[in-house]
Amino acid sequence: MSKKRILSGVQPTGNLHLGNYLGAIRNWVEGQSEYDNYFCVVDLHAITVPHNPATLAADTYAIAALYLACGIDLEHSTIFVQSHIPAHSELTWLLNCITPLNWLTDMIQFKEKAVKQGENVGTGLLDYPVLMAADILLYDADKVPVGEDQKQHLELTRDIAVRFNHLFGRGETVLKLPEPLIRREGARVMSLTDGTNKMSKSDPSELSRINLLDPPETITKKIKRCKTDPVRGLTFDDPERPECHNLLTLYMLLSGKTKEEVAVECQDLGWGQFKPLLTETVISALTPIQEKYKAVRNEEGYLESVLRDGREKAGAIAEETLAKVKSALGYSKPL
Ligand code: TYM
């Protein structure tokens, strides 16, 4: 029996942080030998908010290199850049035409991001989830490993696929319905400066997140300054102590200990004892990633060849799905 297929992606907006790693990439790595995996750098999504043309290409390469540095293995996985495969844009247009407008205006992330943009909300920001649906549906993905914040976009993807199949499938499944793969732990890593807010690339405060490429002294500084509370003894799951829950969860996930082990270890600790422990754990989890990242970047032509192979392999699948969709919609074949 052939392996089930996975597709996921990250936007090349700035550096990757612990939320991206624990919510998504680490899970891609852990399960990869069980699946046929496709991981893209979603650079078309990156321009749905104001972006810097001078850094877009370099940021895209950096994310692809980080995928490798985090442990994506080319024996099981294909890495590619979204904009290198025109089928993503083309399928987006076709799906746009069957997607009711109110499905998009109802999206939580659209509403949140639109408020931040004020009067300059681009059509691309509204259409962002349709592009994401195209990313997934082009590859007949069975599962999509993401953080909690992408759940609604996956539901929309399924709704779009159901609608397409119903309207144009003539009883056949043209577009496969994907399942979200959201882990309970790490699916929503919170900001270091406010335990009620998600850790995010767009938070203006650098102190709110730990980036995968932060050097040890930056990690030490960020943890030293992170928000805590005046209570001694650290516990999970106290709604009055969101920062405490978040920091213990980070410690648990990065140390590989169980929740029970961490709960016992930390029940009598004060912040002054816990912070150095967390700092050391974060640094030892990120050091091998940073070393691998340097090695990938230093190997002349390596990343280019990975992305070239990725484009070829992913592009062939995407073209096939696009042809099926166009045929279902009644388009003539190109002459
Ligand atoms: P993006 O680039 O915002 O985030 C990439 C991945 O990281 C997860 N994530 C988090 N997980 C836990 N805690 C956090 N604080 C946190 N912040 C981010 C996200 O859930 C995501 O899995 N629209 C997507 C990218 C995308 C995509 C796709 C994903 C485009 N096409 C197709 C899957 C399949 C996004 O903006 O992710």
Side-chain angles (χ1 to χ4, degrees):
M1 217 178 78
S2 63
K3 286 180 173 177
K4 295 217 180 239
R5 191 172 287 157
I6 282 226
L7 178 124
S8 199
V10 172
Q11 293 191 60
T13 31
N15 210 321
L16 291 188
H17 53 65
L18 280 181
N20 302 127
Y21 181 59
L22 296 172
I25 300 173
R26 203 180 66 126
N27 303 330
W28 307 352
V29 171
E30 273 180 15
Q32 69 183 322
S33 61
E34 280 171 59
Y35 299 102
D36 176 26
N37 308 279
Y38 289 80
F39 299 120
C40 56
V41 184
V42 291
D43 56 346
L44 295 170
H45 279 101
I47 67 163
T48 57
V49 292
H51 84 289
N52 182 357
T55 57
L56 180 61
D59 288 345
T60 301
Y61 270 63
I63 301 291
L66 271 170
Y67 287 179
L68 292 162
C70 289
I72 296 300
D73 178 350
L74 298 172
E75 196 187 318
H76 305 293
S77 305
T78 301
I79 299 177
F80 65 98
V81 175
Q82 185 189 36
S83 70
H84 292 178
I85 299 181
H88 289 251
S89 305
E90 196 172 347
L91 183 61
T92 302
W93 174 254
L94 302 175
L95 297 180
N96 274 339
C97 297
I98 63 134
T99 304
L101 186 59
N102 67 318
W103 288 10
L104 301 182
T105 50
D106 281 350
M107 290 289 113
I108 298 166
Q109 272 209 352
F110 169 69
K111 289 187 202 160
E112 284 173 0
K113 289 190 183 174
V115 170
K116 287 191 198 147
Q117 305 265 302
E119 286 177 8
N120 287 321
V121 179
T123 306
L125 191 63
L126 179 72
D127 203 26
Y128 170 120
V130 182
L131 176 58
M132 180 162 163
D135 297 340
I136 296 166
L137 298 173
L138 272 176
Y139 297 91
D140 280 344
D142 295 287
K143 297 193 178 188
V144 184
V146 284
E148 178 73 35
D149 61 345
Q150 297 301 318
K151 196 168 170 206
Q152 198 186 31
H153 291 156
L154 278 165
E155 281 158 11
L156 180 89
T157 300
R158 289 170 61 90
D159 289 344
I160 290 175
V162 168
R163 187 168 166 92
F164 187 95
N165 291 336
H166 172 70
L167 291 174
F168 302 106
R170 294 188 212 95
E172 304 273 320
T173 302
V174 183
L175 296 173
K176 186 186 254 185
L177 264 62
E179 299 280 343
L181 203 62
I182 301 174
R183 291 277 187 90
R184 213 162 57 86
E185 308 292 357
R188 199 170 162 78
V189 173
M190 309 310 274
S191 153
L192 295 185
T193 47
D194 176 358
T196 61
N197 260 339
K198 184 181 80 160
M199 185 177 284
S200 153
K201 293 176 203 159
S202 60
D203 192 315
S205 168
E206 266 297 320
L207 288 175
S208 69
R209 60 186 160 262
I210 291 176
N211 297 316
L212 300 192
L213 297 178
D214 278 347
E217 42 307 348
T218 308
I219 295 171
T220 307
K221 183 178 92 182
K222 287 178 175 175
I223 294 180
K224 207 173 257 170
R225 300 240 208 120
C226 77
K227 188 171 174 206
T228 55
D229 55 33
V231 186
R232 202 187 154 81
L234 309 178
T235 51
F236 284 103
D237 300 318
D238 181 343
E240 303 290 310
R241 305 183 71 191
E243 286 81 18
C244 189
H245 179 80
N246 189 44
L247 296 172
L248 285 188
T249 304
L250 288 180
Y251 178 59
M252 173 184 81
L253 293 171
L254 294 173
S255 67
K257 293 181 181 168
T258 64
K259 193 169 176 181
E260 292 68 34
E261 284 166 342
V262 172
V264 172
E265 184 184 354
C266 300
Q267 62 190 348
D268 298 320
L269 295 189
W271 290 111
Q273 293 159 295
F274 176 72
K275 280 188 172 186
L277 195 62
L278 178 63
T279 304
E280 198 186 302
T281 304
V282 174
I283 292 172
S284 20
L286 296 189
T287 302
I289 294 177
Q290 299 181 355
E291 280 167 4
K292 178 95 191 281
Y293 178 80
K294 269 190 223 128
V296 169
R297 299 309 312 246
N298 285 340
E299 194 174 335
E300 175 94 35
Y302 175 61
L303 199 53
E304 287 78 359
S305 81
V306 169
L307 295 177
R308 207 176 301 119
D309 291 352
R311 176 174 64 83
E312 238 171 65
K313 193 164 164 215
I317 299 173
E319 280 302 326
E320 216 177 285
T321 309
L322 184 64
K324 264 197 317 191
V325 168
K326 287 172 86 171
S327 160
L329 288 169
Y331 281 99
S332 61
K333 287 217 171 84
L335 297 172

